[in-house]
Amino acid sequence: MSEQSLRWHPETCVIDEKSGAASSTLASDAGFVRACKLLDDGGLVAVPTETVYGLAADATNPAAVARIFAAKDRPSFNPLISHLPSLEAAKTHGLFNDAALRLAEAFWPGPLTLVVPRHPSSPIADLTSAGLDTVALRVPDAPLMRALAYQLDKPLAAPSANRSGRVSPTLASHVAEELSGRIDLIADQGACRVGVESSVVQCADGHPVTLLRPGGLATDDLERVLGAPLQRAGTNDQTPSSPGMLSAHYAPSVPVRLKASRIEAGEALLAFGPDLPEGAEKAVTVLNLSPSGDSFEAAQKLFASLRALDRDDVSGIAVAPIPDAGLGEAINDRLKRAAHR
Ligand code: TXA
Ligand code: MG
């Protein structure tokens, strides 16, 4: 397929804020109609969300979901997030306890994924949830993804639209580089606003509310709404863990060195804040995630910066220390995986 027929630039994406239904203009957009038809037929469409680009397919169609795993070279024991147009729709797929409801009402639509027990009548395919008795649900703050799920009247399974093990895409060009020829359409709406994947929180009675993956919401904000500290995944036998939290993930092809206080000749420098590490002038190239030290700006630029510094002419990427505050926890989580060999 030509690059031209693969890309779609949606014009306006106006939806009904409560239900997620497309406006009449969006519903009659030829690209939108084509995307719906592809999804209905079991195809794969890359759709931006406020966090990263997702690779969407009908979550209830096992053949379509199998195509996602194949396109990404992703191990099929790693379950996928199902995207819904509204909390009302999400409640038909998962069982929401008090904590889950409180989080959903506070943060949806937004960069939060809730792992909850599967609703007995949910048609989400076993392959989507990797045979678990829980489902991962999210109402994204991305009108197009919500409108597509509403129109299809099905949840959309969507992992990040990258090859497995690579950093998540925050631009349509990142998706095209890794998945052209393997997917049917890319909706191009420019750069993602948040830049790191959603925070994943598990809520099930009998277990502490557990942060499976730090992400686009600051953990402090989640804890404020819960009124209690979150457990961290895998910290003890009572806390669940997430199959997707493999230690090597999000990896550039050159070595990544964290908390670098001095730069060696030949390295690329990924800086943060106004002060550069010692020897910064020796770096082959320098990118600063946020010269003012703002973790939200840094998250937005993280993955595109890692891709840009992953060059043949550098011996490795040295990353300046980044505090854990705000989105720093999610950034440091992704960097730790990028540095794992
Ligand atoms: O921001 C995001 O979350 C993006 C956009 C596209 O929504 N999606 C994304 O999906 O990052 P993915 O597949 O790359 O990450 C999903 C994570 C994985 O770590 C997976 O193991 C975990 O969610 N997960 C999904 N279902 C789960 C379940 N039932 N129990 C525990 N973890 C689950
Ligand atoms: Mg991913």
Side-chain angles (χ1 to χ4, degrees):
M1 186 186 301
S2 75
E3 170 75 358
Q4 218 170 14
S5 61
L6 186 64
R7 291 264 191 127
W8 162 44
H9 295 264
E11 296 276 331
T12 51
C13 282
V14 177
I15 62 170
D16 177 76
E17 200 31 59
K18 192 160 188 333
S19 68
S23 66
S24 51
T25 316
L26 177 57
S28 55
D29 177 317
F32 185 78
V33 173
R34 182 167 161 229
C36 288
K37 171 93 172 59
L38 283 167
L39 291 167
D40 207 26
D41 291 344
L44 303 185
V45 180
V47 182
T49 77
E50 75 280 23
T51 57
V52 301
Y53 276 73
L55 182 57
D58 174 355
T60 69
N61 177 341
V65 175
R67 284 193 63 203
I68 293 183
F69 285 102
K72 282 182 58 93
D73 298 321
R74 175 168 168 134
S76 60
F77 58 77
N78 192 1
L80 305 178
I81 298 171
S82 293
H83 297 70
L84 286 308
S86 63
L87 171 57
E88 196 194 338
K91 282 181 186 164
T92 65
H93 298 282
L95 302 175
F96 285 66
N97 64 10
D98 279 352
L101 263 186
R102 210 175 312 159
L103 291 172
E105 278 163 2
F107 297 111
W108 279 355
L112 171 69
T113 294
L114 290 171
V115 173
V116 296
R118 164 198 281 273
H119 193 295
S121 54
S122 168
I124 289 177
D126 277 340
L127 189 56
T128 306
S129 56
L132 300 171
D133 52 10
T134 52
V135 284
L137 306 176
R138 169 156 118 89
V139 179
D141 185 21
L144 183 59
M145 184 74 98
R146 290 179 66 195
L148 288 168
Y150 182 94
Q151 189 74 25
L152 206 66
D153 199 17
K154 306 260 177 60
L156 288 175
S160 49
N162 51 281
R163 298 272 186 112
S164 189
R166 309 294 302 181
V167 295
S168 291
T170 53
L171 285 173
S173 57
H174 300 157
V175 181
E177 275 158 32
E178 289 183 12
L179 297 176
S180 279
R182 296 179 166 219
I183 66 178
D184 301 305
L185 184 65
I186 302 174
D188 183 351
Q189 292 185 302
C192 299
R193 176 170 59 78
V194 176
V196 288
E197 303 86 348
S198 58
S199 302
V200 181
V201 177
Q202 177 150 349
C203 299
D205 291 333
H207 292 284
V209 181
T210 301
L211 182 66
L212 296 180
R213 177 177 76 181
L217 286 172
T219 308
D220 285 353
D221 291 335
L222 291 163
E223 291 181 336
R224 198 167 308 126
V225 166
L226 280 171
L230 279 165
Q231 300 288 313
R232 296 296 198 280
T235 44
N236 64 46
D237 292 350
Q238 271 78 54
T239 55
S241 62
S242 182
M245 299 310 280
L246 305 172
S247 43
H249 204 177
Y250 309 105
S253 56
V254 298
V256 176
R257 190 162 71 80
L258 303 183
K259 299 193 175 125
S261 55
R262 57 179 306 142
I263 303 309
E264 307 297 334
E267 286 183 314
L269 167 59
L270 187 57
F272 177 82
D275 304 320
L276 299 188
E278 216 184 302
E281 67 287 347
K282 285 188 277 179
V284 177
T285 179
V286 181
L287 286 179
N288 198 325
L289 288 172
S290 171
S292 68
D294 173 352
S295 69
F296 289 82
E297 181 189 7
Q300 206 270 331
K301 292 196 202 153
L302 177 68
F303 291 138
S305 303
L306 284 174
R307 283 173 188 267
L309 297 181
D310 191 4
R311 302 177 358 180
D312 292 342
D313 62 341
V314 307
S315 57
I317 303 173
V319 186
I322 301 174
D324 265 337
L327 295 194
E329 184 182 356
I331 294 171
N332 285 322
D333 171 84
R334 304 307 186 271
L335 285 170
K336 212 167 60 198
R337 288 166 213 288
H340 187 91
R341 293 270 132 181

